[in-house]
Amino acid sequence: RLLLNEISKLSGPPCETKSGTNTLSNFEKRLFPDNDIKVLVFSRGIKTSTHLPGKFILLDSKTVEDFEVPEVAAGFAVVEKIKLDNQDPIEKLLLFSGTRVVLKFLTTGKLNQITLEEYARYLLSEKPNTPAFESILKELHLANVNPDPYAYAIDVTGESTADLIGKKVINNHRQVLSKNDWLSLQSICGG
């Protein structure tokens, strides 16, 4: 939460509307039913998506506002879940912080404000890395989400994401959100 506060100082607070926030909760439950992942949408500062300790996934508002279907935002959220699964975000934070800060954290259980500020800046400027397409495809199939919209959002030509396109294991993917819920989520930042 402290790190989320630092990010909010740099990028503004997460977007909230009553209907959008309720829909976001449905979005989380639909994608991550057995997990306590919290998805937040920011109107600026986030480069598509990132994640924080405490199972927070942060999405840029463009991932919901600029696309006609929720599968694109779902793809970005699933990619962050893969990253959460591959490396504990606390470990990543501590590796960034250095030995002295880690020792203090281990003895006091607290991170100093400067470290949190620096790490927030680092996260917002970090170049996004994409997990292997096999992992993305596997997680999207587990979540019963069509991979094609996400693949075309990454590369409109589909050339660099061809390994994701047309790889539907099941013919009828479950809808991520209803049309009305998707419209509600698209306006969560007032857009």
Side-chain angles (χ1 to χ4, degrees):
R1 292 239 174 239
L2 293 172
L3 185 55
L4 185 57
N5 289 341
E6 291 304 319
I7 286 180
S8 295
K9 287 178 189 176
L10 298 168
S11 64
C15 300
E16 288 184 296
T17 63
K18 185 176 181 183
S19 62
T21 304
N22 289 338
T23 301
L24 198 55
S25 178
N26 293 337
F27 182 76
E28 295 162 355
K29 290 174 191 159
R30 164 63 178 85
L31 293 178
F32 314 114
D34 301 324
N35 222 308
D36 55 349
I37 289 175
K38 180 82 174 138
V39 179
L40 301 170
V41 179
F42 285 79
S43 61
R44 60 186 174 88
I46 308 295
K47 293 182 179 180
T48 65
S49 61
T50 192
H51 62 277
L52 304 177
K55 295 187 178 181
F56 287 97
I57 291 177
L58 314 183
L59 297 178
D60 177 66
S61 61
K62 289 180 180 78
T63 64
V64 295
E65 293 172 351
D66 292 357
F67 298 97
E68 293 183 22
V69 293
E71 285 79 6
V72 175
F76 283 106
V78 164
V79 163
E80 292 305 321
K81 186 212 180 265
I82 294 168
K83 293 177 190 177
L84 276 165
D85 291 345
N86 288 340
Q87 182 182 27
D88 186 330
I90 290 283
E91 177 187 359
K92 185 178 172 186
L93 169 60
L94 294 177
L95 287 170
F96 172 86
S97 302
T99 307
R100 188 189 226 164
V101 172
V102 170
L103 290 173
K104 185 172 183 181
F105 174 73
L106 292 173
T107 57
T108 66
K110 296 180 181 178
L111 289 169
N112 65 46
Q113 189 72 23
I114 294 169
T115 300
L116 291 171
E117 289 171 7
E118 289 173 352
Y119 191 64
R121 276 200 243 14
Y122 166 75
L123 281 177
L124 295 180
S125 65
E126 178 182 39
K127 184 180 177 188
N129 65 332
T130 304
F133 285 157
E134 300 83 37
S135 299
I136 296 172
L137 202 55
K138 178 183 173 193
E139 287 294 327
L140 287 172
H141 285 159
L142 287 172
N144 197 9
V145 174
N146 181 356
D148 292 359
Y150 170 74
Y152 284 115
I154 298 298
D155 178 358
V156 290
T157 68
E159 289 177 26
S160 68
T161 56
D163 288 341
L164 291 174
I165 296 168
K167 304 291 185 186
K168 300 176 189 176
V169 172
I170 43 182
N171 290 328
N172 296 318
H173 286 94
R174 209 170 111 222
Q175 189 176 34
V176 173
L177 291 172
S178 71
K179 187 170 185 168
N180 286 340
D181 281 348
W182 178 235
L183 292 172
S184 174
L185 186 56
Q186 286 185 299
S187 62
I188 194 168
C189 292

